[in-house]
Amino acid sequence: MAVYDVVIIGGGPGGYSAAIRARQLGLKTALVEAADLGGVCLNWGCIPTKALLKQAEVYQLLLRADEFGLKVGEPEVDWTAVIGRSRQVAERLSKGVAYLMKKNEVEVFTGRGRLTPSRNVAVADGKGTVVAELEAANVVLATGSRPKSIPGVEFDGEKILSSREAMIAEKRPNSLAIIGAGAIGVEFAYFYRAYGSEVLLLEALPQVLPREDEEIAAGLAASLVRQGIEVATGARVVEVKKQKRQIALRYQVDGEEQSRKVDRVLVATGVQGNIEGLGLEVAGVHVRNGAIEVNGRMETNAKGVYAIGDVAGAPQLAHAAVQEGIAAVEFAAGRQRPELDRRQVPSCTYCQPQVASVGLSEKEAREAGYDVKVGRFPFAASGKGQAIGETEGLVKLVFDAQYGELLGGAILGAEATELVAELGLALRLEATYEELLFTVHAHPTLSEAIMEAAGEAFGEAINL
Ligand code: NAD
């Protein structure tokens, strides 16, 4: 039997990054993957959707060409090419992961991995036949997640879609209802609306992107409405009934029932961890609320078994999975390192305007008992924002009033998902508003809005 220091089950961003880090630490490493390297993120999630969203953004920019003094006529959309480019990007990156595995001498096994009673890892092919058994000092479970639906609404891949089918639709639906206004719901609402579909976005909770700051979410909702998306929050889906060609939808808002017929329904109500068939019972690994239970070192209760990424529960984000995977193998190798601080994991939504945040929202900071100072800076007051025609949104920063330490920040606007990195570093370094102010930000850049928002919190903004 082949013997390894680490066997990783699942080759998504968390799993493959852990494999590379394990090799850097000199560990003999195997990676078991049943489908494509790169997992959902590279093949069916983050990457192909970001390609689609960029394309929608370019299309929208072309429609605004007049504003920039350009006459481009009526731009035409080649839908097959729109979807095709996104698939090409995903394929290229998946091949890139295969190259990285080779370069780093990670042994890749194709098949489904599961823990055996003797705490080895059995690899089975598509028919369930065991094709390899690997002995492992440490096992990292990194099997990710899959879309979950709501009671009474089953995915059928044709009319009732998950994000996976929504990103490869052969034809653009004329009308689309989206259930759930988390990151997936909002991103697809923007994408399909950008190309002209009628979009109804239904969210059960009182705001879109319920985990984001209220003010930022309200700003986003107003923008989505301006774009022509119908947004219904506090919405309860009563019935989703397939008809011959369309889908009849009944839902309630504020106790009032509404109905609508649409071509497609996208269910984006969250994901569930892939915990099945992993041999968790035989290995005695504890599961709680559908997620493998781990401590701050990503250890499960079973000795030498780690779990990372979506299968280990919130925040279920690729960048968190990467850090968790790296942390798991570093701990397995006996290295001293800090545990991952989940409050410092940024959250990003790539619609336009984008939303990104890190740390505490204003409400969370107040609830945590801080005396807070809040600073805001709108992109309409930013020279760069005006120059590039991106004036929507704002930077909102939350500080502890006593010491001026940054507690969190949220951004609505162009390139928010890039800008948030500065706030992540500032949080990590426990920076104060003064340190943000003393950092020279290049002019003109959108990032100046962060410096200005820090100033605004303490009465020192210049351009307001
Ligand atoms: P999510 O949990 O972020 O959002 C699901 C939304 O559906 C929530 O707002 C919830 O209140 C709502 N909801 C649940 N049941 C409902 C119902 N019956 N009717 C109406 N609304 C209902 O999940 P998601 O958007 O499906 O994304 C799945 C995972 O993938 C999440 O962890 C998400 O963060 C991640 N993701 C991240 C990005 C990104 O970072 N840009 C993009 C896509 C997905």
Side-chain angles (χ1 to χ4, degrees):
M1 192 184 313
V3 181
Y4 295 89
D5 297 314
V6 189
V7 172
I8 297 160
I9 305 180
Y16 88 70
S17 304
I20 293 172
R21 186 70 189 115
R23 289 293 306 128
Q24 288 171 348
L25 294 167
L27 305 176
K28 188 167 157 56
T29 307
L31 179 73
V32 184
E33 169 58 57
D36 295 319
L37 285 172
V40 168
C41 166
L42 248 78
N43 297 287
W44 298 103
C46 324
I47 297 295
T49 54
K50 262 72 267 175
L52 292 175
L53 287 159
K54 178 66 189 180
Q55 290 159 212
E57 198 186 321
V58 172
Y59 179 57
Q60 283 297 306
L61 202 55
L62 286 176
L63 295 177
R64 290 172 56 197
D66 271 4
E67 262 179 55
F68 297 92
L70 303 170
K71 296 267 174 262
V72 296
E74 187 72 25
E76 266 181 53
V77 178
D78 176 347
W79 185 256
T80 310
V82 165
I83 301 293
R85 177 175 177 277
S86 141
R87 299 316 308 155
Q88 274 168 15
V89 171
E91 276 161 32
R92 198 181 310 142
L93 283 169
S94 184
K95 281 188 190 138
V97 177
Y99 160 78
L100 286 174
M101 295 301 96
K102 217 168 173 180
K103 182 183 146 196
N104 287 283
E105 297 173 340
V106 174
E107 283 182 54
V108 177
F109 290 83
T110 303
R112 280 194 182 282
R114 70 175 150 78
L115 294 164
T116 67
S118 47
R119 238 283 328 266
N120 291 331
V121 172
V123 183
D125 64 13
K127 291 181 190 135
T129 311
V130 174
V131 290
E133 192 158 335
L134 319 173
E135 192 181 319
N138 300 283
V139 177
V140 180
L141 304 172
T143 49
S145 65
R146 61 184 184 279
K148 76 168 177 229
S149 191
I150 52 175
V153 185
E154 299 295 326
F155 295 118
D156 69 2
E158 279 178 23
K159 286 201 180 100
I160 302 180
L161 314 177
S162 71
S163 54
R164 192 173 178 126
E165 294 92 30
M167 73 184 77
I168 50 169
E170 276 175 20
K171 260 185 69 190
R172 181 178 62 74
N174 286 326
S175 56
L176 171 74
I178 300 177
I179 305 176
I184 293 185
V186 166
E187 289 180 0
F188 276 102
Y190 168 78
F191 171 72
Y192 276 106
R193 181 63 202 151
Y195 286 108
S197 299
E198 273 177 30
V199 177
L200 168 65
L201 181 60
L202 299 171
E203 168 56 51
L205 292 175
Q207 65 175 52
V208 299
L209 299 183
R211 282 189 282 264
E212 296 290 350
D213 178 275
E214 282 172 24
E215 189 179 341
I216 295 287
L220 173 69
S223 178
L224 295 177
V225 169
R226 274 198 297 277
Q227 293 172 37
I229 295 168
E230 191 179 343
V231 178
T233 51
R236 194 173 77 79
V237 176
V238 179
E239 190 183 45
V240 176
K241 200 171 175 185
K242 280 199 271 182
Q243 297 180 325
K244 210 164 172 200
R245 298 190 41 195
Q246 285 197 303
I247 300 165
L249 193 72
R250 289 197 297 129
Y251 59 97
Q252 272 185 358
V253 182
D254 297 331
E256 218 173 276
E257 187 156 316
Q258 322 243 7
S259 61
R260 189 67 57 85
K261 284 192 180 167
V262 288
D263 292 339
R264 297 283 181 273
V265 170
L266 165 62
V267 183
T269 50
V271 289
Q272 61 193 72
N274 293 323
I275 52 173
E276 301 82 0
L278 268 178
L280 299 181
E281 307 76 20
V282 295
V285 175
H286 290 172
V287 170
R288 199 160 147 200
N289 295 331
I292 299 176
E293 242 185 305
V294 289
N295 62 18
R297 297 162 58 92
M298 311 317 295
E299 290 165 328
T300 69
N301 60 298
K303 199 170 177 310
V305 180
Y306 296 76
I308 61 130
D310 286 10
V311 77
Q316 297 187 307
L317 295 166
H319 44 277
V322 170
Q323 293 299 325
E324 290 171 2
I326 289 170
V329 293
E330 290 187 347
F331 285 126
R335 287 187 54 118
Q336 296 290 322
R337 56 153 292 150
E339 292 178 3
L340 183 68
D341 184 344
R342 289 197 162 64
R343 287 168 309 178
Q344 294 176 354
V345 175
S347 120
C348 294
T349 308
Y350 298 75
C351 51
Q352 293 298 331
Q354 296 184 348
V355 176
S357 64
V358 65
L360 300 180
S361 67
E362 180 182 354
K363 192 170 166 211
E364 287 166 344
R366 290 192 194 281
E367 281 170 2
Y370 286 102
D371 179 13
V372 303
K373 274 205 182 291
V374 176
R376 296 175 180 80
F377 191 81
F379 286 111
S382 149
K384 180 71 181 287
Q386 289 287 345
I388 65 171
E390 298 289 358
T391 52
E392 241 188 323
L394 74 158
V395 173
K396 176 176 177 181
L397 302 184
V398 181
F399 296 92
D400 164 33
Q402 194 180 0
Y403 302 107
E405 184 181 340
L406 179 70
L407 300 174
I411 308 172
L412 172 71
E415 306 300 346
T417 57
E418 301 290 339
L419 295 170
V420 76
E422 176 179 353
L423 298 180
L425 184 63
L427 271 188
R428 181 96 207 137
L429 299 178
E430 300 176 356
T432 63
Y433 85 99
E434 283 186 311
E435 282 156 328
L436 285 169
L437 280 183
F438 296 160
T439 301
V440 182
H441 289 68
H443 178 73
T445 57
L446 295 174
S447 69
E448 287 170 293
I450 289 176
M451 179 176 69
E452 292 277 22
E456 205 270 330
F458 293 87
E460 297 178 32
I462 302 297
N463 288 288
L464 268 186

